[in-house]
Amino acid sequence: MLEQIDLSTVNWARAQFALTAMYHWLFVPLTLGLTFLCAFFETIYVKTGKEEWKELTKFWMKLFGINFAIGVATGIILEFEFGTNWANYSWMVGDIFGAPLAIEGIVAFFLEATFFAVMFFGWNRVSKGFHLLSTWMVAIGSNLSALWILVANGWMQFPTGMAFNPDTARFEMKNFFEVVLSPYAISKFTHATTSGFALSSFFVIAVASYYLARQRHVLMAKRSIAVASVFGLVASLMLAFTGDEAAYVDAQHQPMKLAAMEGLWDGSYNAPVVAFGIVNGMKEPGDFQDPFVVEFKVPGLLSLLANRQSGSFVPGINDLVFGNKEQGIMGVTEMIERGKLAVKYLDEYKKAKKQGDMSAASSALAQFNKYKDFLGYGHLNTPKEAVPPVSITFYSFHIMAAVGTAMIAIFILFLFHSIRGTLERATWLYPIGIIFFVLAFMAGEAGWVVAEVGRQPWAIQGLLPVSVARTDIAPVNVKLTFFMFLVTFTLLLIAEIRIMLKQIQLGPKEVK
Amino acid sequence: MFGNLDLETLQKLWWLLASVVGSLFLFLTFVQGGQTLIWQLGKTEREKSLIINSIGRKWELTFTTLVLFGGALFAAFPKFYATSFGGAYWVWIAILFTFIVQAVSFEYRKKPGNLFGPLVYEAFLFINGAVGILLIGTAVGTFFTGSNFVLNEYNLVSWTNPLRGLEAANNIFNISLGLFLVFNARVLGALYLLNNIDFTGMDNFKKRTRNAVLANFIAALPFLLVVLIGLLTMDGYGVDPATGTIFIVPFKYLKNLIEMPMVLVILLAGLGLVIFSVYIAWFQNKDHGIWFGGLGTVLVGLAVFFTAGYNNTAFYPSKADIQSSLTIFNASSSHYTLTAMTYVALIIPVVLAYIAYVWKQMDSKKLRAEELEGPEAQENY
């Protein structure tokens, strides 16, 4: 299908996607959550009519705006990168994948873009009520945009509601609702947005803690923490719940990812969760090396989390690569064989059709249909290629899970002192708030690493490997744009952080 | 409801919708036009501030419309998205870059600690307004002059020119279209500022802005002429709807205008409205020319896109392999996807309605210098 596969183009394109996505995710979670926090703050202002709440709202809005601008800058590149670096992907799945992106523009981006101007510049131009409505619209708009892009991402993880059309050589949508309501779409959306809410709550808590430590803007800081710790606690509980759901859908549809997340090489009944471990990075499928240098296991927990059934069987990487007859698991080796047949018969079908030999075409098509579910595997050459980088996936998952769990306790602490009115005395808590803001960033990025690295080599799980999805372009082009983006985004990030710190230093306007 | 429409109708409908979004984008490039006028019209910090804050409240609409144009083309004509973005790589990367730097510039320009200082952010805005629009125009020019690509039997693209799209700049028609759009955006920018800013006590500033309308219109004329003459005389790429075969048709675009008289009317009406907007701004000292200029630009845009895509025309022709050329028939999404997207498109009037409402709310009072500086200053860029 693709004769001259140039791996270095693929790898630069992957690196570029990772770069732009990770930069984008530095700003998006803050947008997702801070906009709701601004909406809460402004609602309190409108309800109470107190000017302090208005100034408090305006202060957080200013920080929101600084972050929002760079989020937009990094976001546009992601949408168009599907075209520039992944042209074959864009054609082969554009019939399904394009729709959520277009819907995102229609229903979400315009809400944000339109009401953003009111939120910032409309204080004296529209009524109080309409201003509040605008702030809520920005919050809803940004989260709706997350919904649609995560529907698109969810579909890449779990392609559903579509069929392959051999005449056009692409996948075509058959059921819109299956795409939108797939368990992955829901799980991605709820998990990613709640992580944004938690991170934003830590942002507010971190800045407010800084003020408390300096004994500046004390009332404003305490009020901000009160709202943020409630929002953060609710979000972090939801985050744990949706995280459990995410692992469950992975177990059902992306067992290889789950196995990599837990470093599980050999499947077993009563499979353990590795609470802490150092991975043996040299281990390969089929060898007899120990998967871990050190590990602490909680027996049986993985079976429970993955299948919601204690003692159940969870397949490991080796089961998935080599197959496990007893468990009814077909190995990658066999899938590749079938996939190669699918590729071959598709090619024959195309040739016969071109030559006008309809009987040959229909018999090739019949053969192709037998193997079409394995088409993606036909582009892999060795079973090893189907295994994602285990160490990166394992560590990322464990960092994310550990920070995510600890978050709940930290929010409880802040909320506790907030309710008791003892925040000013709990000085030991301030640095923890600030550290957790940084940790929450790491956890969020790690989460995306799990989601995306953990499903390599697939652009579309099981159907389209990245090596086929790429653009036919010399690697030097992609390499060059990689460094262009790296330099640009890094400089803009430095500018953003400096502006942000300056504004935090200046602080909100004090109401006399 | 829409499921009963045949594929061809849906393809035509989606070309219409994409054309509307693209044409609205051209109207909204008054923001980019305004960005290129900051240094020229803003002689004092106050004047600069007024320009930036006036167009700065609309930049996101323009940006979003461009993103939606991309998204709509992806959803409705994915083969175009794959072929053009993956093929004409460097043109699109260059365009995107100018929009990346634009996105932060309004917000960061005046903020302390912004690393580069205000001048650099103003330069970013200028680059976006000038180079960004020029390249977009050049890319649209290839809808008529063609590009260098081959699609294989799996519809996967190979670009046959190592410049990856930048070679389009080496064509007088493409470049003229780009430059026409740049100067038209500047006309619109000046018209928008005239209408949006309260120039009380700043007569010279207002005069400069008014002069800019005429000057940029005159500057746009030769390029418009080249584009029109080119369009009416060049050979084009026709498609046989029965077989899908693409072939060269002499005077294809002239024929399109004659065979689709409505499009000709739209084109002439659009050009007339743009001229009218300049006339009332310059000769009658009126401030509301933007509405005529804007509507005129939308109509011209529609006429251009209709001429490129309708009447059995290949809208993204290939010079390297004519049968690889894209038409609205061979580049579109499936019947199912187009139907689903048509249901989604029902929400577009609602979107347009709230944009119009908010626009009116925000712009009913003109922007005053006092809002930007002094004791009653509000949040601003």
Side-chain angles (χ1 to χ4, degrees):
Chain A
M1 194 159 169
L2 278 184
E3 300 76 15
Q4 67 297 352
I5 289 174
D6 184 348
L7 273 174
S8 55
T9 296
V10 181
N11 286 335
W12 279 110
R14 285 162 118 176
Q16 191 174 115
F17 204 89
L19 172 83
T20 43
M22 289 182 82
Y23 261 103
H24 191 48
W25 198 251
L26 284 178
F27 314 110
V28 172
L30 204 47
T31 297
L32 295 178
L34 202 49
T35 170
F36 269 122
L37 282 159
C38 286
F40 297 152
F41 294 141
E42 190 175 345
T43 306
I44 298 174
Y45 158 62
V46 172
K47 290 263 179 214
T48 61
K50 283 185 180 159
E51 281 298 302
E52 306 103 83
W53 280 101
K54 184 179 178 183
E55 290 308 326
L56 187 155
T57 308
K58 279 176 129 176
F59 171 71
W60 292 113
M61 262 182 198
K62 184 175 275 188
L63 300 187
F64 168 78
I66 295 163
N67 175 69
F68 185 79
I70 190 164
V72 173
T74 48
I76 188 170
I77 209 68
L78 271 181
E79 171 172 351
F80 289 101
E81 210 170 313
F82 289 114
T84 55
N85 289 350
W86 305 99
N88 295 348
Y89 170 93
S90 291
W91 166 247
M92 292 178 75
V93 302
D95 194 61
I96 307 132
F97 193 82
L101 293 201
I103 299 173
E104 184 185 19
I106 298 171
V107 307
F109 287 157
F110 277 108
L111 269 183
E112 285 180 87
T114 307
F115 289 100
F116 183 88
V118 184
M119 180 169 152
F120 278 85
F121 309 114
W123 288 104
N124 282 15
R125 286 185 172 255
V126 299
S127 70
K128 234 186 200 180
F130 190 73
H131 192 279
L132 178 63
L133 175 78
S134 302
T135 306
W136 275 101
M137 285 298 140
V138 174
I140 292 167
S142 26
N143 283 274
L144 272 181
S145 86
L147 169 69
W148 289 103
I149 194 65
L150 292 167
V151 163
N153 181 270
W155 185 80
M156 294 165 92
Q157 315 273 350
F158 174 53
T160 177
M162 49 88 220
F164 185 77
N165 180 343
D167 292 310
T168 51
R170 68 171 176 184
F171 295 91
E172 293 177 356
M173 202 190 315
K174 295 293 168 204
N175 190 331
F176 179 74
F177 295 101
E178 265 185 43
V179 174
V180 176
L181 301 174
S182 97
Y184 262 88
I186 294 164
S187 148
K188 287 273 155 220
F189 172 63
T190 49
H191 198 53
T193 47
T194 44
S195 82
F197 300 162
L199 180 128
S200 306
S201 302
F202 272 123
F203 175 70
V204 170
I205 285 176
V207 174
S209 294
Y210 164 77
Y211 288 144
L212 287 179
R214 293 285 158 107
Q215 296 187 319
R216 290 172 57 196
H217 314 294
V218 171
L219 182 64
M220 171 270 180
K222 286 197 293 189
R223 283 176 168 171
S224 298
I225 288 178
V227 176
S229 57
V230 173
F231 188 47
L233 180 59
V234 174
S236 59
L237 290 170
M238 285 287 293
L239 192 58
F241 177 73
T242 56
D244 170 62
E245 185 65 24
Y248 176 71
V249 291
D250 280 344
Q252 308 309 307
H253 305 291
Q254 292 181 305
M256 185 68 90
K257 186 195 276 182
L258 186 83
M261 279 155 64
E262 276 304 327
L264 184 71
W265 286 84
D266 296 306
S268 66
Y269 291 99
N270 220 15
V273 157
V274 178
F276 169 79
I278 296 174
V279 178
N280 171 5
M282 309 301 288
K283 186 162 171 61
E284 303 241 340
D287 70 16
F288 296 101
Q289 293 190 56
D290 215 327
F292 290 97
V293 181
V294 184
E295 87 240 64
F296 296 101
K297 290 179 177 174
V298 184
L301 189 55
L302 187 60
S303 292
L304 192 63
L305 292 176
N307 300 323
R308 294 186 177 159
Q309 197 185 338
S310 73
S312 60
F313 183 83
V314 181
I317 294 168
N318 284 330
D319 303 277
L320 296 163
V321 168
F322 302 111
N324 181 332
K325 283 222 174 83
E326 205 179 298
Q327 297 297 330
I329 297 168
M330 188 192 291
V332 175
T333 322
E334 198 179 338
M335 290 193 202
I336 291 178
E337 279 166 21
R338 294 182 179 208
K340 298 272 181 219
L341 289 173
V343 172
K344 175 176 159 246
Y345 287 120
L346 180 62
D347 215 36
E348 280 179 14
Y349 170 71
K350 286 278 185 196
K351 282 197 185 118
K353 223 180 110 191
K354 205 171 175 185
Q355 288 160 358
D357 184 349
M358 289 337 262
S359 83
S362 78
S363 86
L365 186 61
Q367 288 296 324
F368 169 76
N369 282 334
K370 269 202 242 169
Y371 301 110
K372 66 178 177 185
D373 290 345
F374 303 95
L375 185 62
Y377 285 89
H379 300 291
L380 302 185
N381 293 314
T382 61
K384 241 167 59 178
E385 287 173 52
V387 182
V390 176
S391 306
I392 301 178
T393 313
F394 175 88
Y395 289 125
S396 302
F397 174 68
H398 283 76
I399 290 171
M400 175 191 74
V403 175
T405 313
M407 274 179 184
I408 300 173
I410 309 300
F411 282 125
I412 290 174
L413 283 172
F414 272 97
L415 184 60
F416 173 78
H417 285 286
S418 204
I419 292 171
R420 288 266 307 265
T422 50
L423 264 179
E424 274 178 271
R425 272 183 279 143
T427 50
W428 57 274
L429 201 51
Y430 309 156
I432 296 178
I434 295 169
I435 289 166
F436 259 82
F437 168 57
V438 178
L439 289 178
F441 263 116
M442 285 170 56
E445 296 284 4
W448 276 111
V449 171
V450 174
E452 302 304 296
V453 175
R455 71 179 162 99
Q456 293 303 312
W458 301 109
I460 303 292
Q461 180 72 38
L463 298 178
L464 186 63
V466 284
S467 56
V468 179
R470 73 180 180 91
T471 300
D472 174 22
I473 190 166
V476 61
N477 297 285
V478 190
K479 192 170 162 181
L480 204 57
T481 48
F482 173 86
F483 286 108
M484 282 164 64
F485 290 133
L486 178 67
V487 171
T488 311
F489 288 158
T490 305
L491 287 174
L492 293 181
L493 174 68
I494 294 170
E496 193 240 8
I497 292 173
R498 282 168 46 113
I499 293 171
M500 206 60 125
L501 290 176
K502 197 84 198 162
Q503 292 298 328
I504 291 168
Q505 221 170 51
L506 290 171
K509 211 165 103 186
E510 286 291 346
V511 180
K512 283 160 200 146
Chain B
M1 180 166 65
F2 298 126
N4 297 329
L5 296 176
D6 61 15
L7 181 59
E8 191 184 322
T9 308
L10 287 167
Q11 288 161 332
K12 287 179 176 166
L13 177 65
W14 272 92
W15 185 253
L16 171 72
L17 289 172
S19 301
V20 169
V21 177
S23 305
L24 284 173
F25 168 75
L26 293 180
F27 159 47
L28 292 168
T29 60
F30 70 77
V31 171
Q32 273 70 18
Q35 287 169 193
T36 64
L37 291 168
I38 294 170
W39 287 331
Q40 192 186 330
L41 300 182
K43 296 295 179 199
T44 63
E45 197 49 45
R46 165 185 277 201
E47 290 168 358
K48 258 192 340 199
S49 225
L50 276 166
I51 297 171
I52 289 168
N53 277 282
S54 171
I55 52 175
R57 295 175 186 195
K58 296 286 180 286
W59 78 265
E60 280 179 80
L61 274 184
T62 314
F63 194 98
T64 303
T65 309
L66 177 67
V67 172
L68 177 60
F69 187 49
L73 286 171
F74 195 2
F77 301 100
K79 200 194 279 183
F80 166 74
Y81 192 86
T83 305
S84 185
F85 284 90
Y89 191 82
W90 280 108
V91 173
W92 292 114
I93 291 284
I95 292 171
L96 289 176
F97 243 86
T98 73
F99 280 87
I100 291 173
V101 295
Q102 184 214 19
V104 292
S105 291
F106 284 105
E107 180 71 36
Y108 290 4
R109 186 184 72 99
K110 279 280 269 291
K111 295 266 188 319
N114 67 12
L115 199 62
F116 304 115
L119 258 183
V120 170
Y121 290 100
E122 285 161 23
F124 284 166
L125 292 176
F126 185 89
I127 290 167
N128 172 247
V131 183
I133 301 301
L134 173 70
L135 290 176
I136 287 177
T138 310
V140 174
T142 63
F143 282 25
F144 301 95
T145 55
S147 303
N148 307 286
F149 63 88
V150 179
L151 299 182
N152 71 7
E153 68 232 277
Y154 293 96
N155 290 313
L156 306 180
V157 61
S158 302
W159 205 258
T160 57
N161 188 306
L163 290 174
R164 305 285 311 199
L166 290 178
E167 71 277 7
N170 189 24
N171 175 302
I172 189 90
F173 177 87
N174 297 344
I175 279 287
S176 298
L177 183 55
L179 285 168
F180 167 67
L181 290 185
V182 170
F183 285 109
N184 188 61
R186 283 163 65 88
V187 171
L188 294 174
L191 286 171
Y192 181 79
L193 295 174
L194 271 184
N195 192 48
N196 191 244
I197 294 175
D198 182 349
F199 287 94
T200 311
M202 292 180 287
D203 291 344
N204 275 334
F205 179 29
K206 188 164 192 179
K207 197 158 164 249
R208 274 200 300 279
T209 308
R210 216 180 275 291
N211 287 346
V213 174
L214 187 69
N216 284 290
F217 176 70
I218 292 170
L221 282 178
F223 302 113
L224 175 64
L225 212 62
V226 174
V227 170
L228 287 178
I229 292 172
L231 197 64
L232 299 179
T233 56
M234 73 170 75
D235 295 348
Y237 297 77
V239 54
D240 179 345
T243 62
T245 310
I246 321 274
F247 48 90
I248 298 282
V249 182
F251 299 102
K252 173 64 178 159
Y253 305 110
L254 175 63
K255 282 180 189 157
N256 279 2
L257 288 173
I258 294 167
E259 284 161 18
M260 299 186 291
M262 259 319 281
V263 176
L264 183 62
V265 171
I266 291 172
L267 178 65
L268 294 175
L271 291 172
L273 279 169
V274 172
I275 295 168
F276 180 69
S277 72
V278 176
Y279 172 78
I280 61 168
W282 173 256
F283 292 99
Q284 300 191 332
N285 283 336
K286 295 264 172 62
D287 293 341
H288 62 290
I290 180 65
W291 302 118
F292 302 102
L295 179 60
T297 303
V298 171
L299 294 180
V300 172
L302 287 176
V304 167
F305 289 119
F306 292 169
T307 309
Y310 285 151
N311 202 33
N312 300 322
T313 312
F315 73 88
Y316 200 63
S318 168
K319 291 190 286 191
D321 168 35
I322 188 169
Q323 295 314 325
S324 290
S325 302
L326 307 187
T327 68
I328 61 172
F329 310 118
N330 69 20
S332 87
S333 279
S334 64
H335 185 269
Y336 182 89
T337 297
L338 290 179
T339 307
M341 287 304 298
T342 306
Y343 282 107
V344 172
L346 286 175
I347 203 176
I348 290 177
V350 179
V351 176
L352 289 173
Y354 75 68
I355 291 174
Y357 179 75
V358 168
W359 191 309
K360 194 159 171 280
Q361 290 278 313
M362 289 295 286
D363 288 8
S364 57
K365 280 182 282 179
K366 295 193 178 211
L367 184 67
R368 293 176 304 124
E370 291 73 23
E371 291 176 61
L372 309 179
E373 55 193 46
E376 51 163 319
Q378 296 293 316
E379 192 69 36
N380 64 73
Y381 285 132

